[in-house]
Amino acid sequence: MPEPENAVQIDVKKIIQDFPVLDQEVHPGKKLIYLDSAATSQKPVQVTGAMTDYYHRANANIHRGIHALAETATDMYEGAREKVAFLINAATPSEIIYTRNTTESINLVASSWGRAGLKPGDLVILTEMEHHSNLVPWQMLAETIGIRLEFIPVSQDGLLDLQAYQLLLEEDPKLVAFMHMSNVLGTINPAQKIIQLAHQAGALTLVDGAQAVPHFPVDVQDLDADFYAFSSHKMLGPTGIGILYGKKHLLEAMPPYMGGGDMIKRVKLRSFAPNDLPHKFEAGTPAIAEAVGLGAAVDYLSAVGMHNVAAYEHHLTKYALDRLAEVPGVWVFGPEANQKGGVASFTFEGVHPHDVSQILDAEGIAVRAGHHCAMPLHEKFKINATSRASFYIYNTTAEIDRLIDGLYSVKKIFG
Ligand code: PMP
């Protein structure tokens, strides 16, 4: 018997009502079961409402206008930054840089810090489980500057090999860049330990927190992370805005990433003086309504409580892993429930993941199939693709039961 949902400290029924998109049939008689939140989360009315309210009440360009509306818009945009800073316990809001997404946050560090600070032959340590967004920017630096890349291996049960990591640390790395939680394996990496060891070896650290901040409490000061990247759209907020957290002294020493309006203090025909943090890294008119929406998403998650979010997702994940283990031919990748977040990537013996997804879709169940932007990891496991079900606070064990029923239909169809 599944643990009753109300045993965990969140009111799932009430939460579901905040997400109108969930209340629909995607095919006749087939109510939507959305199990693709690792790709992007759904948005509650509190978020869409905050964005609409901004446009109806306060739309103006920020920072530059000395009129009432511009001041309101600026306050809303900067207020959201304060909320994000509080959520991840940044020392000051000026350590929170708005970007477009996790990908841009990582590219910002690679372009600005990397180009200014790395020399040919310098070592950057990554892991074999990285998303392409934390691989390709470093590969581009390997091509242009000639930096060296090494990778912490992933074991068959989806964990990082920390002994191999310690050996790599003896090679004088300049940066260790790794994901906090894998979008494929669900593995929650021991970020604090990885960072501590990196610092002992004299390296800085960048954490890809795209799958972490939406799902469990993250404290960047406690972690002692140097850079930490994540996206609004995976944490109930809108698309088009992401975050780069960086320690103030590091961001201050870095050259601007893009040039243009707002990132300057003064401009002459042949020179410019960059603005203070965080504006130095926010050239041009930013995603203002999206920042307001992100602020509302942070409010929503904070009201639920990040510990409650994590506990509820753990309950769902454990239930899903137990039930998936019952289905003959299904193989789930990654560690056990106590070492992973709400992601279950699996193969189904003899059936292509795209076919699995298509049959599930006909039942109204949205899961993702493919390499999930982690081709090297799939190669490591000698597969081309997996099907991935991922969970968030609006999912229930009843929906996981429907997923399992759907997988039995797959089995019936493919014999
Ligand atoms: N890293 C991880 C772990 C992810 O899951 C994702 C999104 N799939 C990204 C980075 C990239 O996020 P975005 O597309 O929002 O830049």
Side-chain angles (χ1 to χ4, degrees):
M1 279 289 285
E3 207 180 315
E5 247 98 50
N6 59 11
V8 183
Q9 296 294 307
I10 77 169
D11 188 344
V12 190
K13 283 203 180 100
K14 188 163 168 286
I15 286 174
I16 290 170
Q17 284 170 4
D18 291 331
F19 293 80
V21 74
L22 299 175
D23 186 21
Q24 64 170 300
E25 289 181 357
V26 280
H27 302 297
K30 303 294 180 190
K31 192 161 186 300
L32 170 65
I33 293 180
Y34 187 76
L35 301 180
D36 197 18
S37 294
T40 198
S41 72
Q42 295 301 348
K43 325 299 175 197
V45 288
Q46 288 83 346
V47 167
T48 53
M51 294 173 74
T52 304
D53 174 63
Y54 162 77
Y55 278 126
H56 288 182
R57 200 169 55 80
N59 178 54
N61 211 333
I62 53 163
H63 295 149
R64 283 162 267 178
I66 306 181
H67 59 75
L69 228 50
E71 278 178 20
T72 306
T74 304
D75 287 350
M76 290 169 86
Y77 178 78
E78 293 301 335
R81 196 191 308 273
E82 285 171 22
K83 290 174 187 186
V84 172
F86 189 76
L87 179 76
I88 63 166
N89 194 29
T92 145
S94 61
E95 293 180 322
I96 301 295
I97 312 294
Y98 288 131
T99 60
R100 278 191 306 134
N101 45 37
T102 305
T103 305
E104 189 173 80
S105 298
I106 296 170
N107 274 276
L108 193 163
V109 177
S111 289
S112 171
W113 177 84
R115 282 176 202 277
L118 294 174
K119 301 182 302 301
D122 278 352
L123 174 62
V124 169
I125 298 178
L126 307 168
T127 86
E128 288 180 342
M129 62 170 78
E130 292 313 304
H131 189 280
H132 298 163
S133 65
N134 196 29
L135 283 174
V136 180
W138 306 110
Q139 292 171 353
M140 287 162 67
L141 278 192
E143 278 175 17
T144 52
I145 300 182
I147 63 166
R148 202 157 64 83
L149 303 179
E150 293 294 345
F151 302 88
I152 308 173
V154 178
S155 68
Q156 280 307 306
D157 49 1
L159 300 171
L160 290 179
D161 179 344
L162 293 184
Q163 274 182 340
Y165 173 46
Q166 301 216 29
L167 288 179
L168 286 174
L169 286 175
E170 290 174 12
E171 297 180 34
D172 188 26
K174 297 292 178 277
L175 179 77
V176 180
F178 66 98
M179 58 191 354
H180 202 162
M181 174 178 144
S182 164
N183 59 319
V184 178
L185 304 165
T187 313
I188 298 174
N189 288 318
Q192 200 163 27
K193 183 163 187 193
I194 294 171
I195 291 169
Q196 192 191 10
L197 290 170
H199 287 166
Q200 278 169 12
L204 293 180
T205 53
L206 179 149
V207 187
D208 168 358
Q211 298 293 345
V213 174
H215 300 290
F216 51 84
V218 168
D219 181 330
V220 288
Q221 291 191 75
D222 193 42
L223 288 172
D224 202 16
D226 299 294
F227 299 107
Y228 197 103
F230 55 105
S231 297
S232 150
H233 70 95
K234 292 184 199 280
M235 53 186 288
L236 310 181
T239 52
I241 187 160
I243 302 297
L244 172 68
Y245 159 83
K247 284 183 181 165
K248 197 171 176 196
H249 72 276
L250 294 171
L251 293 173
E252 273 175 345
M254 281 159 54
Y257 170 53
M258 287 198 284
D262 243 28
M263 52 70 69
I264 45 81
K265 257 189 192 144
R266 276 178 312 282
V267 180
K268 295 187 175 183
L269 276 180
R270 295 186 191 279
S271 65
F272 72 96
N275 208 340
D276 295 329
L277 290 176
H279 314 295
K280 180 170 84 172
F281 293 108
E282 292 176 10
T285 301
I288 307 167
E290 287 74 8
V292 173
L294 169 60
V298 171
D299 285 344
Y300 192 97
L301 286 170
S302 303
V304 175
M306 288 311 299
H307 283 100
N308 294 327
V309 171
Y312 183 64
E313 287 185 28
H314 178 68
H315 153 75
L316 288 181
T317 307
K318 190 167 177 337
Y319 184 71
L321 295 185
D322 288 348
R323 293 244 41 211
L324 283 165
E326 293 168 12
V327 188
V330 166
W331 174 258
V332 182
F333 290 82
E336 292 177 353
N338 60 358
Q339 284 173 299
K340 74 192 268 168
V343 167
S345 296
F346 57 94
T347 51
F348 203 133
E349 204 178 355
V351 192
H352 194 279
H354 285 120
D355 293 331
V356 174
S357 296
Q358 217 155 14
I359 293 166
L360 291 175
D361 175 62
E363 296 296 320
I365 304 165
V367 301
R368 186 155 291 252
H371 51 65
H372 317 296
C373 294
M375 285 172 104
L377 179 67
H378 281 73
E379 227 168 83
K380 165 103 184 181
F381 286 104
K382 299 191 169 47
I383 45 173
N384 291 324
T386 48
S387 302
R388 181 183 70 187
S390 52
F391 316 115
Y392 213 176
I393 45 174
Y394 38 67
N395 293 124
T396 64
T397 48
E399 291 181 323
I400 292 166
D401 289 339
R402 286 271 310 277
L403 168 70
I404 302 299
D405 293 345
L407 291 175
Y408 278 110
S409 305
V410 172
K411 197 164 167 49
K412 217 183 268 171
I413 291 166
F414 283 86

